[in-house]
């Protein structure tokens, strides 16, 4: 019984130290929004479409997550192309 009592304060101290250094529970760590958009790959020189692709973004608010997904879509484009006619496909919490 004495060993159990001696270990218990050590475990409590380890848990409180872990929480103090930012080890969060899964519910606390899952803050924010993940957004996905689907865009047309648009060639600028002749204004023609060349398929679809997805952009993904994460942020603390829904509007910022959509903006991050649109930025990711445009960042994926090679020179001479841009993302156009983007549709908001999915947004999830966490």
């Amino acid at each position: 019984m004495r060993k159990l009592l001696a270990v218990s304060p050590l475990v409590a101290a380890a848990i409180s130290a872990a929480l103090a250094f930012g080890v969060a529970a899964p519910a606390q760590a899952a803050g924010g929004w993940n957004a996905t958009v689907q865009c047309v790959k648009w060639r600028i020189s002749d204004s023609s479409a060349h398929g679809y692709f997805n952009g993904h973004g994460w942020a603390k608010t829904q509007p910022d997550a959509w903006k991050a997904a649109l930025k990711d879509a445009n960042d994926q484009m090679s020179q001479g192309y841009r993302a156009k006619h983007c549709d908001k496909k999915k947004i999830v919490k966490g």
Side-chain angles (χ1 to χ4, degrees):
M1 189 73 175
R2 285 187 159 234
K3 288 183 181 179
L4 181 61
L5 292 176
V7 171
S8 180
L10 291 175
V11 172
I15 291 172
S16 64
L19 291 174
F21 286 112
V23 177
Q28 293 172 336
W33 294 89
N34 289 312
T36 302
V37 296
Q38 184 179 35
C39 302
V40 174
K41 183 176 184 179
W42 195 262
R43 186 164 46 199
I44 297 169
S45 64
D46 63 355
S47 295
S48 60
H50 294 272
Y52 293 94
F53 63 95
N54 292 331
H56 306 282
W58 180 90
K60 295 221 178 224
T61 64
Q62 283 185 345
D64 289 341
W66 289 123
K67 288 177 190 176
L70 290 171
K71 182 179 180 330
D72 179 56
N74 274 312
D75 289 347
Q76 291 180 42
M77 292 294 99
S78 55
Q79 190 167 353
Y81 292 88
R82 73 180 191 101
K84 192 169 181 179
H85 303 296
C86 295
D87 294 324
K88 296 176 180 178
K89 289 296 184 182
K90 180 175 77 169
I91 190 161
V92 292
K93 180 90 171 152

